[in-house]
Amino acid sequence: MLSDRITRRAALLGLTALAGCGFAPIHGTGSTLREQLTFDTQDTVAGFELRGRLEERLGVSASPRYLLKVTQTSRRRASAIAADGDTTRFNLLGTASWTLTEIAKGDRLDSGDVQTFTGFATTGSTSATQAAEDDASRRLSVALADMIVSRLLLLEPSVAP
């Protein structure tokens, strides 16, 4: 019982200290880049998925200050081959190259590349395999967008007005 009071008291003191130090969550609504961006992605299904996730995480702007241009590439690589030589699993490897530009000045603020992968099985029917690949492609776009957002949120203090 005494340890419960001490734990509760320590938690309250810790929260009070954080409130006083100017701590703000990085994903909060006070984000410098939230609703300040317009996005330029490829006119593909993968580009559509990537843009949708970026808009979901960073908001849509009526009067953007920054342009985020993203080029996404992906390729399949066999990751599991059965004894008879059939591929039973593929990895979908993806890269997204991005550039953040201030629209008014045309200055490039930062750029980078992110890479990740997803996988899918090919053991079902042809339509099941296609559905699995489509889902893996969607998951890949979402993962790449999340990685870009993480990089941008770390960049925020240098972008602030």
Side-chain angles (χ1 to χ4, degrees):
M1 183 146 198
L2 179 62
S3 67
D4 288 342
R5 270 193 256 148
I6 292 172
T7 304
R8 220 177 289 141
R9 186 174 293 152
L12 289 173
L13 286 173
L15 289 173
T16 304
L18 280 177
C21 77
F23 170 79
I26 195 166
H27 296 290
T29 55
S31 168
T32 306
L33 293 175
R34 182 136 187 89
E35 297 178 357
Q36 296 293 315
L37 293 160
T38 188
F39 306 100
D40 181 6
T41 59
Q42 296 156 302
D43 290 331
T44 62
V45 173
F48 176 80
E49 294 289 348
L50 184 107
R51 180 188 191 103
R53 183 61 173 182
L54 290 170
E55 289 176 348
E56 180 183 325
R57 296 281 311 274
L58 296 170
V60 178
S61 176
S63 55
R65 293 183 58 200
Y66 307 103
L67 168 68
L68 180 63
K69 180 177 175 62
V70 183
T71 305
Q72 182 179 354
T73 59
S74 64
R75 64 184 175 90
R76 287 186 343 170
R77 184 176 68 192
S79 63
I81 301 173
D84 62 0
D86 288 341
T87 302
T88 59
R89 187 161 184 80
F90 280 97
N91 280 340
L92 199 56
L93 310 167
T95 302
S97 300
W98 58 273
T99 304
L100 181 66
T101 306
E102 188 172 4
I103 294 172
K105 296 178 183 176
D107 293 342
R108 187 181 92 182
L109 301 174
D110 203 0
S111 62
D113 297 311
V114 293
Q115 298 177 352
T116 192
F117 72 95
T118 59
F120 65 96
T122 62
T123 55
S125 66
T126 303
S127 60
T129 298
Q130 185 60 53
E133 184 173 7
D134 292 347
D135 181 63
S137 177
R138 183 193 63 73
R139 288 183 286 120
L140 181 65
S141 294
V142 167
L144 289 168
D146 286 345
M147 293 173 78
I148 292 170
V149 169
S150 294
R151 296 274 182 94
L152 291 175
L153 291 174
L154 292 173
L155 173 70
E156 271 194 46
S158 64
V159 176

